[in-house]
Amino acid sequence: MGAPRTGTGTLKRGNRGRLPDVPETPPHFDGGGVSSTLYLLRLVRTVMSWLSKVRNSLSSLSKRDTPDTLWMKCPSCGEMLFAKDFEANLSVCPKCEHHGRIGTQARFDQLLDAGYTVLATPKVPENPLNFRDTKKYPDRLKAARAANPFPDALTNALGTIEGAKAVLGVQDFKFMGGSMGMAVGEAFVAGAERAIAEKCAYIILTAAGGARMQEGILSLMQMPKTTVATRRLAAAGLPYIVVLTDPTTGGVTASYAMLGDVQIAEPGALIGFAGQRVIQDTIREKLPDGFQRAEYLHAHGMVDMVVHRKDLKGTLATLLGYLARKEVA
Amino acid sequence: MISFLDFEKPIAELEARIAELRATANGSELDIESEIDKLAKKSAAMLAATYAKLTPWQKTQVARHPQRPHFLDYIRLVFTDFVPLAGDRVYGEDAAIVGGLATLDGRKVMVIGHEKGHDTPSRIKHNFGSAKPEGYRKAIRLMEMAAKFGLPVVTLVDTAGAFPGVEAEERGQAEAIARSTEACLALKVPMVAAILGEGGSGGAIAIAAANKVLMLEHAIYSVISPEGASSILWRTPDKAADAATAMKVTAQDLLSLGVIDGVVAEPVGGAHRDPAAAARALADAIGRELAALVVRTPAELVQQREERFLAIGSL
Ligand SMILES: [Zn+2]
């Protein structure tokens, strides 16, 4: 994990493996848990604190456009960084190598050769449950769309990586926590299908707190739905490569994010099924150092490699060189 | 003794009154007998009326009722010649998911499902029905064995969710669930899933990506518990009832959304009031689905299952 992280935020109870500003997984987007009243009460507290942390984190790393925020503080080591330098360094802190969260467009630019095509996001039924909590779901969607360049949390582009053709899907945590609803499921299927039509690899960069609760059971159904798509890629003999980025949790992890032919993770990324607080409340002891981080998953055999962002494009190109379908003479 | 839920209080009071009268009426006091009869009819009518219009939150409580029949009850009541099969051949045996060879009304099947347990020792043994990776990996092993020997797969789903623990994460809970879902989709034999009580998110779908999905009348199926949704979306624990309604967790809602294929009627007052009748109805419903599926070719079965899930969320 590199140097111990001593961020400036509210560092929690000496858990040094955890970034202060990175929200935990929503405790159970995947409903994991035993049903006791005590458990539920603890859960509520967990969730409340998670929510406030999400709010904080959403603004922590994003560069604001006003001149007085030309400088930013690395959320991991606290180093003051010139925002432009940070971006030029692929949003990786030059001092501590903390990998910041980055948007879809930046990912496309970093990984694809010039001249790629962004693919249209498929349309899906909007608000089929007619859902409202404290706000109407369409209002939440509208706000997310106003704040983001793409219409939902997963966007595909068709292009080349050092000359090798690929469809690249990027999930954006800034769009409603990257959550998987029907739009994400349908975009994933469309990306895989396009790769099959183009006879090329499908590469997905995952980032999500889990399922989109405002779509209820329909979001859960995206787990088998996206798995149909990974099976079809396999049947076509095409590579399916997963790059797990910070954070990837819940139902996304428990479906397409764990089914890659090759599993890559970005350094320090939080990757898991259940939320850390839920787990802590269940086992009532301190979590192991670096728990659910990329390096921990690597040590436990769940990912093939942890790759620094500066090496990601080259790694993908090398993999495509080995795995991409050979044209039959 | 049936334990009553909060919303059954008026019924519980009537039943208590009836029991009281019965205790005093020894022999031929006609007045008391007719009074008991009247109250019993009233109680039955009240029970039927209450259960005919349960709210989603009330259904959640029925689905979690401690006396609700679970996997092993259904095995005992309607399956015969059950041969339990244990272990994932990788790490261990997880009793939160039970599976094995069984016969259902003369048809040989592989049956797999969550078992919650019915008292403290059995709940601990079965980890309250919350499975670990080895549970899902056992399910995968049994599904693949079923396909090898041409046995249809029947899954009975009843879990609050997959187990959230360090060891579960460390052994790849997410990967195990993803692979189990994939194994369902790959099956070249018929697969029917039935949600018995709680269909809790990823821990449920891992063994429910079937050709046909049934739900008991008062079961619930959701991406997150109503309590969890209340906390996250409303930021208070008090909105679980609203969350249950908003998320559309009931069998009736899910049938209209096209997520499930059929609702299996429960005895009046819920499956726990007559487990044998509930099990009979479930066996009949599963049998009907299997009969329609066994005539299909392996390719048709895979395709129907794929199309079923691809269609959810498409325009
Ligand atoms: Zn730093």
Side-chain angles (χ1 to χ4, degrees):
Chain A
M1 295 275 304
R5 295 182 158 106
T6 53
T8 53
T10 48
L11 195 58
K12 291 285 175 209
R13 286 178 275 174
N15 189 351
R16 305 198 314 174
R18 182 167 356 128
L19 301 184
D21 282 309
V22 176
E24 291 168 18
T25 313
H28 62 335
F29 276 150
D30 278 276
V34 291
S35 45
S36 75
T37 314
L38 271 177
Y39 169 74
L40 290 170
L41 287 172
R42 283 198 303 273
L43 176 63
V44 167
R45 285 198 297 274
T46 304
V47 168
M48 301 304 285
S49 92
W50 176 79
L51 279 166
S52 66
K53 278 200 267 170
V54 169
R55 277 197 304 276
N56 296 338
S57 76
L58 286 178
S59 56
S60 70
L61 256 191
S62 57
K63 181 181 74 79
R64 279 149 293 181
D65 293 328
T66 44
D68 59 325
T69 56
L70 287 173
W71 289 88
M72 54 165 286
K73 190 179 266 186
C74 171
S76 179
C77 70
E79 179 83 350
M80 291 305 294
L81 304 167
F82 194 43
K84 272 220 166 77
D85 291 346
F86 181 68
E87 245 174 53
N89 199 40
L90 308 174
S91 303
V92 175
C93 172
K95 194 180 173 210
C96 75
E97 304 290 346
H98 167 69
H99 281 52
R101 290 176 186 163
I102 52 178
T104 305
Q105 191 67 57
R107 288 286 190 186
F108 289 156
D109 292 339
Q110 287 176 18
L111 295 174
L112 293 170
D113 303 334
Y116 60 82
T117 311
V118 175
L119 305 176
T121 305
K123 294 247 184 297
V124 294
E126 293 220 338
N127 201 15
L129 303 191
N130 199 17
F131 193 93
R132 89 171 285 165
D133 42 75
T134 54
K135 272 189 196 168
K136 289 182 188 154
Y137 177 38
D139 292 344
R140 288 190 190 279
L141 270 179
K142 209 179 285 176
R145 282 178 187 152
N148 285 280
F150 299 108
D152 212 290
L154 173 51
T155 310
N156 295 300
L158 173 66
T160 56
I161 296 174
E162 295 182 6
K165 188 156 75 171
V167 175
L168 181 71
V170 176
Q171 217 167 341
D172 199 330
F173 191 75
K174 275 200 295 185
F175 195 104
M176 297 189 74
S179 57
M180 174 171 62
M182 292 183 292
V184 165
E186 194 73 2
F188 184 92
V189 171
E193 278 175 356
R194 184 61 182 264
I196 291 167
E198 302 279 347
K199 297 190 174 62
C200 70
Y202 188 39
I203 301 168
I204 184 86
L205 277 80
T206 62
R212 190 167 299 170
M213 284 175 290
Q214 291 86 352
E215 295 185 14
I217 193 83
L218 298 172
S219 67
L220 186 71
M221 293 298 128
Q222 304 311 304
M223 291 172 65
K225 176 171 173 161
T226 52
T227 307
V228 171
T230 63
R231 275 175 39 77
R232 289 189 173 177
L233 281 165
L238 296 168
Y240 170 52
I241 300 174
V242 176
V243 181
L244 299 150
T245 80
D246 185 60
T248 300
T249 57
V252 169
T253 323
S255 56
Y256 58 87
M258 276 293 156
L259 294 172
D261 294 306
V262 179
Q263 296 280 126
I264 300 172
E266 284 205 320
L270 176 76
I271 304 156
F273 175 67
Q276 298 205 343
R277 288 303 189 84
V278 169
I279 295 170
Q280 209 158 22
D281 288 349
T282 308
I283 62 168
R284 316 261 209 151
E285 40 190 273
K286 194 176 168 293
L287 296 173
D289 278 345
F291 180 61
Q292 291 184 326
R293 294 289 167 188
E295 296 74 10
Y296 179 92
L297 268 82
H298 184 250
H300 285 89
M302 301 315 301
V303 299
D304 291 286
M305 56 188 100
V306 179
V307 176
H308 193 288
R309 198 170 282 162
K310 70 176 160 48
D311 301 323
L312 187 54
K313 182 171 181 174
T315 302
L316 290 172
T318 303
L319 288 170
L320 293 181
Y322 279 107
L323 305 178
R325 190 171 148 135
K326 312 297 178 290
E327 287 306 324
V328 182
Chain B
M1 260 312 265
I2 293 288
S3 42
F4 288 93
L5 296 163
D6 281 352
F7 67 84
E8 296 174 330
K9 208 172 162 213
I11 300 158
E13 284 167 1
L14 268 180
E15 291 295 324
R17 176 81 189 119
I18 292 166
E20 220 174 90
L21 286 174
R22 284 228 168 95
T24 54
N26 43 7
S28 56
E29 292 163 77
L30 280 174
D31 281 0
I32 294 183
E33 285 302 327
S34 76
E35 177 67 9
I36 288 173
D37 201 43
K38 214 177 80 187
L39 289 179
K41 278 192 180 122
K42 193 176 167 192
S43 173
M46 204 184 276
L47 186 69
T50 303
Y51 272 75
K53 50 178 180 54
L54 291 179
T55 66
W57 180 237
Q58 289 169 338
K59 280 183 186 276
T60 304
Q61 294 162 61
V62 175
R64 295 171 179 169
H65 194 290
Q67 290 163 320
R68 191 167 175 86
H70 295 154
F71 179 89
L72 290 173
D73 297 308
Y74 287 96
I75 292 291
R76 180 173 50 79
L77 289 164
V78 282
F79 289 82
T80 53
D81 301 320
F82 180 52
V83 182
L85 298 170
D88 67 348
R89 303 295 186 272
V90 179
Y91 178 82
E93 156 64 2
D94 180 1
I97 290 181
V98 180
L101 303 161
T103 304
L104 180 62
D105 296 329
R107 193 188 299 281
K108 293 180 172 67
V109 300
M110 182 72 80
V111 63
I112 304 167
H114 305 92
E115 170 58 47
K116 288 182 164 179
H118 57 89
D119 55 15
T120 302
S122 63
R123 282 176 190 134
I124 289 168
K125 176 184 174 191
H126 296 289
N127 199 29
F128 299 83
S130 284
K132 296 172 186 171
E134 43 277 22
Y136 294 106
R137 292 188 179 122
K138 174 172 66 183
I140 295 168
R141 184 174 76 82
L142 300 189
M143 285 191 272
E144 287 173 351
M145 191 197 300
K148 180 176 175 182
F149 296 105
L151 296 168
V153 173
V154 172
T155 58
L156 305 179
V157 177
D158 195 7
T159 182
F163 183 68
V166 172
E167 74 274 35
E169 295 290 314
E170 167 177 286
R171 296 199 288 273
Q173 184 71 293
E175 197 264 357
I177 290 170
R179 292 286 172 205
S180 185
T181 308
E182 188 183 42
C184 295
L185 292 167
L187 278 177
K188 293 190 189 320
V189 290
M191 176 178 183
V192 175
I195 317 291
L196 303 179
E198 284 184 278
S201 202
I205 192 68
I207 59 165
N211 292 99
K212 295 288 172 181
V213 182
L214 305 172
M215 269 179 87
L216 288 189
E217 186 182 353
H218 305 307
I220 62 162
Y221 191 10
S222 70
V223 69
I224 184 170
S225 67
E227 292 91 337
S230 168
S231 302
I232 293 174
L233 296 174
W234 279 264
R235 302 178 186 189
T236 155
D238 310 329
K239 294 285 186 182
D242 292 348
T245 303
M247 285 200 301
K248 307 228 186 318
V249 301
T250 70
Q252 295 70 25
D253 284 335
L254 299 188
L255 185 65
S256 71
L257 284 169
V259 169
I260 63 164
D261 302 289
V263 178
V264 180
E266 293 186 26
V268 173
H272 59 289
R273 286 192 163 83
D274 191 348
R280 189 65 257 152
L282 180 68
D284 290 346
I286 292 171
R288 274 195 300 276
E289 298 296 350
L290 287 177
L293 290 170
V294 290
V295 298
R296 305 237 207 152
T297 66
E300 284 171 349
L301 290 167
V302 172
Q303 193 186 347
Q304 184 268 333
R305 213 180 288 123
E306 290 189 347
E307 298 298 335
R308 184 188 189 286
F309 288 98
L310 281 178
I312 298 175
S314 291
L315 270 180

